[in-house]
Amino acid sequence: MRRILYAALSTVAGLVLLVGVKTYGSPSAHSSTAGTARDTGATGTGRADGSSGTHNSSGSDGTTAKGKASGTPRTVAGQTVDTPYGPVQVEVRLSAAKILDVNALRLPDGNQRDIEIARYAIPQLRQEALDAQSAQIDTVSGATYTSEGYIRSLQSALDQSGG
Amino acid sequence: MAAAPTLTRGPKHVEHVMGTAVSIDVRDPAIGPETVKAVTAWLHHVDATFSTYQADSTISRLGRGEIQLADCSQTVRWVLDRSAALTRLTNGYFDAYHSRQLDPSGHVKGWAIDQAHHILCAAGSSSHCLNAGGDVRTHGLPSPGQPWRIGIVDPQDPSELTAIVQASDIAVATSGTAERGPHVINPLTGRPASDLASVTVAGDNLADVDAYATAAMAMGNAAPAWLTGLEGFEAFVIATDGARWWTDGWATPELHASHP
């Protein structure tokens, strides 16, 4: 009999893992549940109080300077990645190792469907990069093919920045 | 100046292999690039052996009947045996023979990362995080006192996170629709599974959680009952209508955003 050993969770407020209290399979309650779950999703935590109280006092991530604007913003280009939809490359603007913005330098071109996918993916991935940064996560589970191209590029850019 | 100690990190590497991008994030500064090279070499070997996209891979040739199982390495036979066991454990919902083509890739990717994890541990790594296109395996702590934080993508809004798993040693896999749309086929009906938007499974090895997440997606509304019975594994399910469900052992929910 095996049990999963989770690292001990601190009681510091701001560490959301899941929200939502509805029992699965109650059709009448689904709509209210869905709204609640999404309104109080994990990303709200990262921005909810806007302070560094999100993490425990050891605060040892060392990768961001919250609230600080030191350093000249610089631009880092990720590697070009081949996806099934064509080559993708992302440019990341950094300021003090905090991501300011993400722009796609090269998009898959070609047929209309490729262009549609790219158009859908880019703004979301720009936002995703920012949210991932504010949520202080180390990695993401759930990426899809086109996203991997971008995320990989983002990681590449962050790696080059020495984050 | 921040008082937090700066961690001197080991190599961080991304390798394109097995049809995805594999991120190798080693936090142990004692681990050198030669170990990472051993890991990437392993992953490419797995690709050459098991890829259904390579016509001359062992799996492709086996699938076409050009070679027999007895001709294959012990490793290949072991992987296929395990795939068969997983088919039984999932009541047929994880099936390496779905679509009438031998394709154990739902199990192989997680298994390959598990072996990569063991390579790093054997080399002495005290801390690392491997991510193969969303299949994650972590070890140790990324920095003193801090667990690994694994963001789970919201399938209905891939720019957002819907949950964060915190752990030191864990394997996490998510099977879902997201941008690709329904691509998990229910092997019992042959049609795309459409009840669920995503399933995340956490456990102590990626090979199993990979297959279980895929199987649960295919099961649709029957997934929670099955997942509840899975000893030693925890899960988080999001239905296409947005409803969330999770196993009793999935971490304690805490509310933080204040309601208006």
Side-chain angles (χ1 to χ4, degrees), chain B residues 110-133:
Chain B
W111 168 80
I113 294 300
D114 282 335
Q115 307 320 307
H117 155 76
H118 292 309
I119 291 171
L120 286 166
C121 287
S125 172
S126 62
S127 170
H128 54 258
C129 172
L130 301 170
N131 187 337

Side-chain angles (χ1 to χ4, degrees), chain B residues 63-142:
Chain B
R64 289 192 299 269
E66 290 167 21
I67 55 175
Q68 303 304 312
L69 199 55
D71 302 323
C72 298
S73 70
Q74 197 171 14
T75 300
V76 171
R77 282 182 275 127
W78 189 91
V79 169
L80 292 177
D81 275 350
R82 185 57 189 163
S83 292
L86 287 163
T87 300
R88 290 191 297 274
L89 288 166
T90 60
N91 301 318
Y93 281 94
F94 172 77
D95 187 353
Y97 287 87
H98 73 87
S99 312
R100 308 177 63 190
Q101 179 204 0
L102 176 56
D103 181 9
S105 53
H107 169 61
V108 169
K109 189 168 66 167
W111 168 80
I113 294 300
D114 282 335
Q115 307 320 307
H117 155 76
H118 292 309
I119 291 171
L120 286 166
C121 287
S125 172
S126 62
S127 170
H128 54 258
C129 172
L130 301 170
N131 187 337
D135 288 355
V136 176
R137 175 132 192 192
T138 67
H139 174 63
L141 301 178

Side-chain angles (χ1 to χ4, degrees), chain A residues 5-157:
Chain A
L5 299 176
Y6 284 85
L9 300 178
S10 71
T11 56
V12 173
L15 295 172
V16 167
L17 293 161
L18 280 177
V19 185
V21 294
K22 235 3 182 165
T23 303
Y24 188 78
S26 307
S28 57
H30 276 182
S31 53
S32 55
T33 302
T36 304
R38 215 168 302 163
D39 290 344
T40 51
T43 49
T45 302
R47 296 189 298 257
D49 54 8
S51 70
S52 55
T54 311
H55 294 276
N56 61 28
S57 54
S58 63
S60 50
D61 62 277
T63 55
T64 57
K66 286 189 177 66
K68 298 179 190 169
S70 59
T72 311
R74 65 193 188 285
T75 300
V76 180
Q79 296 181 35
T80 302
V81 175
D82 287 323
T83 78
Y85 309 112
V88 167
Q89 185 182 34
V90 169
E91 172 191 80
V92 180
R93 283 202 306 135
L94 303 171
S95 172
K98 182 177 178 181
I99 298 169
L100 294 178
D101 200 1
V102 174
N103 294 304
L105 288 177
R106 292 183 60 193
L107 302 176
D109 49 17
N111 65 40
Q112 184 62 30
R113 174 168 167 75
D114 286 346
I115 294 168
E116 283 169 3
I117 288 169
R119 197 174 294 132
Y120 172 82
I122 297 162
Q124 301 227 339
L125 285 161
R126 174 185 298 126
Q127 186 60 36
E128 181 176 30
L130 297 173
D131 287 346
Q133 182 69 18
S134 67
Q136 292 291 305
I137 60 167
D138 299 302
T139 196
V140 176
S141 181
T144 62
Y145 238 117
T146 304
S147 295
E148 284 162 14
Y150 281 105
I151 288 174
R152 184 245 190 269
S153 295
L154 172 63
Q155 287 177 344
S156 168

